Amino acid sequence: MKSNVVKKGSTRAAHRSLFYAMGYRPEDLDKPLIGIVNSFNEIIPGHFHLREIAEAVKLGVAAAGGTPVEFPAIGICDGIAMGHEGMKYSLASRELIADSTESMAIAHAFDGLVLIPNCDKIIPGMLMAAARLNVPAVFVSGGPMLAGRYGGKDVSLSSMFEAAGLYEAGKISAEEMDKMEQAACPGCGSCSGLFTANTMNCLTEALGMGLPGNGTIPAAYSGARRALAKNAGAVAVELVAKNIRPRDIMTMKAFENAIAVDMGIGGSSNTVLHLPAIAHEVGLELPLELFDKISASMPYVTKLSPGGIHHLQDLNEAGGISAVMKELAKTGNIHTDVITVQGTMADRIKNAAILRPDVIHTVEDPYRKTGGIAILKGNLAPDGAVVKESAVADDMLVFEGTARVFDSEDDAIEAILAKKIKDGDVVVIRYEGPKGGPGMREMLNPTAVITGMGLKVALLTDGRFSGATRGACIGHISPEAAECGTIALINEGDLIAIDIPGRKLNVKVSDEELAKRKAAWVKPTPKITTGYLARYARMVTSANTGAVLK
């Protein structure tokens, strides 16, 4: 066992004394040590209940013959961090989570890991750590939040961000907004739509690193989630015994499965940042072109919030990710021969079935014939840009408008709330990329307010969008403004041409004029010059490569 390096031999007498100080027994040290990486905290609704999940995991580990040892991981609530300086730290925290998990796991020589994330950056950060460490590991999340109910309809967190726009447009009263606030998030769990957290928990299943139900069993179904957590604990001990490691599971075929499911369910555009970053830790590259290639051949078979009316609880009732994968396998784009943390993917989906055809459509009758995410290129995004095509209204798929240029999200919000943005505009928010932000803030506030106000405008940024964003919102524009990408050269009033079906994004300015503007461009002073974000800005790479640190 790997952990023998801290348990066995005369030179480890002091080490054993430290274990005994915590109540471990000699017989506990004869078993594999399973690290339980618990991201519990009291600031994220998706993590508030994770102590219960961790306790169930420990029972599963102990019953299977292992010794569970819990340690923490940090987590930032993207919803609470949204719209202010705190959002600069969200994506950057992914690297802290990966690094700190690596530090703890190697320093204490764990034989295996059970990782308990639930929300946005915590899931990919832990997956990056698992790939980097390559010790037997399994994931079990805390599960999605149930949708709230207001006015006889399901509502969720995205409803509340859009409610701000409704209020500013005079469409709802302050009293109505207050009542919606009280109803939108009825309990613990990752926010109920197919936003980034739930997308990544579902893709953890598709990668093979989580058990069936990991992404869809609601947090409120505490019995089912505890049972899943116990099973995960037992599986971790089994993985150690068989020496099955993350890099045995997270192969190129597994990543292609994850991308295929992402396209088939219309997941968050943030996956185009996270999957390449996880693959990077394995030593694989996932170019943007691969996402677009798979999207072109993958039917879109679910339509969940924010693009539709259903939520994760509906997907769970419909058969979950296993049912989705079995259906998508009919296209020949799912590799069923890959191994998972428990058996092959073929074994996993063999008995799956669509139980609610209103939620999961067949590949013969999909919501759309192509996948949920599109990669755009053109003179405005030579290295690519990302849009959640499945959440764009048909009349905005091809759009031409006048650029309204802002050098920060804060400036854009101020203009939107001041009613300075009109139908036909293209709002450009720049210097919010990985380096320029720094930290590549999500832009849910401006997109949600625009949606709530009913404006027919597009939004472009070198930052990124929340999984809760819907509409003609194009992010991850690369190269970013801080590296003198074309987005830095746009002037107020330039015409922007968007063709999502044609995969094109251009500014209607001649090459000669762009070259003249580039020659006159002056690199701006960094927004943050001290602390972690300053170091992050110096080391982070472009969004089109996953914003990894080098």
Side-chain angles (χ1 to χ4, degrees):
M1 286 186 288
K2 180 183 177 70
S3 61
N4 284 347
V5 73
V6 298
K7 299 186 306 188
K8 299 295 183 182
S10 61
T11 60
R12 299 299 184 258
H15 302 59
R16 291 190 292 274
S17 291
L18 293 170
F19 277 103
Y20 299 151
M22 295 178 282
Y24 294 99
R25 304 166 300 170
E27 53 265 41
D28 294 328
L29 302 187
D30 289 332
K31 302 172 184 177
L33 295 184
I34 307 297
I36 314 298
V37 192
N38 185 5
S39 56
F40 160 81
N41 62 46
E42 294 184 342
I43 195 65
I44 311 178
H47 293 237
F48 195 82
H49 64 304
L50 292 188
R51 281 175 172 162
E52 297 176 13
I53 301 298
E55 290 304 315
V57 168
K58 291 177 191 178
L59 288 173
V61 168
T67 296
V69 183
E70 182 180 347
F71 64 89
I74 66 164
I76 288 174
C77 180
D78 277 22
I80 295 173
M82 193 72 66
H84 60 92
E85 190 174 35
M87 181 45 72
K88 294 177 184 289
Y89 285 85
S90 175
L91 180 62
S93 74
R94 185 185 71 180
E95 318 307 315
L96 291 175
I97 292 160
D99 291 351
S100 60
T101 303
E102 172 197 355
S103 301
M104 289 293 289
I106 292 178
H108 303 104
F110 289 111
D111 297 297
L113 297 171
V114 180
L115 300 106
I116 310 175
N118 211 32
C119 292
D120 294 41
K121 262 34 96 256
I122 298 92
I123 306 158
M126 287 188 180
L127 282 165
M128 289 165 66
R132 188 184 303 172
L133 290 162
N134 203 33
V135 299
V138 60
F139 281 67
V140 59
S141 76
M145 185 185 292
L146 292 176
R149 294 285 293 175
Y150 178 76
K153 296 180 180 179
D154 285 348
V155 291
S156 65
L157 185 69
S158 61
S159 308
M160 291 317 306
F161 277 100
E162 292 179 11
L166 293 171
Y167 174 75
E168 291 294 333
K171 297 177 181 179
I172 61 171
S173 66
E175 183 182 6
E176 286 176 291
M177 188 161 66
D178 181 65
K179 288 179 179 178
M180 288 179 70
E181 288 173 23
Q182 302 292 330
C185 298
C188 291
S190 45
C191 298
S192 59
L194 192 61
F195 313 144
T196 304
N198 289 325
T199 302
M200 288 305 303
N201 278 327
C202 288
L203 297 193
T204 300
E205 284 189 49
L207 273 173
M209 291 298 295
L211 295 171
N214 177 72
T216 60
I217 298 173
Y221 298 179
S222 57
R225 285 233 69 99
R226 286 173 183 163
L228 185 71
K230 287 179 185 177
N231 288 340
V235 165
V237 178
E238 183 181 325
L239 290 170
V240 171
K242 294 180 177 179
N243 195 30
I244 296 174
R245 305 180 181 213
R247 292 183 196 173
D248 300 324
I249 297 168
M250 288 194 281
T251 62
M252 180 56 82
K253 284 185 175 181
F255 280 104
E256 289 176 353
N257 281 350
I259 296 172
V261 171
D262 191 18
M263 300 305 160
I265 63 176
S268 165
S269 59
N270 281 315
T271 57
V272 183
L273 281 174
H274 298 321
L275 289 175
I278 298 160
H280 175 74
E281 298 292 346
V282 178
L284 299 172
E285 290 187 10
L286 301 183
L288 293 184
E289 290 77 11
L290 179 61
F291 286 81
D292 213 40
K293 177 183 175 183
I294 293 175
S295 183
S297 61
M298 187 55 55
Y300 172 47
V301 297
T302 72
K303 195 172 178 63
L304 306 183
S305 173
I309 61 170
H310 296 125
H311 294 81
L312 266 291
Q313 65 208 63
D314 299 300
L315 181 58
N316 188 63
E317 288 178 14
I321 293 302
S322 294
V324 169
M325 294 189 76
K326 185 173 184 177
E327 186 61 29
L328 294 179
K330 293 179 182 178
T331 68
N333 290 312
I334 298 293
H335 305 288
T336 59
D337 58 331
V338 297
I339 65 169
T340 74
V341 289
Q342 193 173 51
T344 66
M345 190 59 73
D347 296 331
R348 176 175 292 192
I349 68 175
K350 180 172 58 177
N351 297 318
I354 296 174
L355 304 178
R356 280 187 59 183
D358 61 317
V359 177
I360 304 175
H361 283 203
T362 64
V363 295
E364 293 83 13
D365 181 31
Y367 286 100
R368 291 161 40 93
K369 292 182 179 180
T370 57
I373 291 174
I375 306 301
L376 312 184
K377 288 195 173 183
N379 71 349
L380 183 42
D383 292 339
V386 179
V387 62
K388 190 171 180 177
E389 184 177 9
S390 58
V392 180
D394 288 345
D395 62 352
M396 291 294 290
L397 290 170
V398 178
F399 184 77
E400 187 172 298
T402 304
R404 302 297 310 280
V405 183
F406 304 94
D407 286 347
S408 72
E409 177 189 8
D410 310 275
D411 292 345
I413 279 284
E414 184 179 335
I416 293 165
L417 293 179
K419 313 293 194 300
K420 294 180 179 178
I421 303 301
K422 308 298 181 186
D423 284 352
D425 286 344
V426 176
V427 177
V428 178
I429 304 177
R430 61 190 181 189
Y431 296 105
E432 290 287 9
K435 287 184 179 294
M440 204 178 182
R441 285 199 280 185
E442 286 188 342
M443 303 289 167
L444 182 54
N445 264 3
T447 61
V449 172
I450 283 170
T451 299
M453 293 175 76
L455 292 171
K456 187 176 180 180
V457 303
L459 196 153
L460 313 181
T461 182
D462 53 5
R464 61 196 179 92
F465 295 113
S466 165
T469 293
R470 61 191 176 107
C473 302
I474 300 167
H476 306 203
I477 291 176
S478 302
E480 63 173 289
E483 294 191 317
C484 199
T486 307
I487 190 171
L489 310 178
I490 298 173
N491 286 343
E492 187 86 4
D494 286 346
L495 280 180
I496 306 291
I498 300 166
D499 181 358
I500 295 174
R503 303 301 194 250
K504 294 176 183 177
L505 180 63
N506 289 291
V507 54
K508 290 194 165 184
V509 175
S510 69
D511 292 344
E512 292 76 17
E513 174 62 20
L514 288 176
K516 189 184 302 181
R517 294 180 188 181
K518 186 170 185 176
W521 180 76
V522 178
K523 188 177 182 67
T525 303
K527 295 176 184 175
I528 294 179
T529 57
T530 60
Y532 173 60
L533 279 183
R535 298 197 304 275
Y536 179 87
R538 289 195 297 269
M539 299 169 67
V540 71
T541 62
S542 177
N544 67 296
T545 58
V548 297
L549 299 188
K550 288 188 179 179

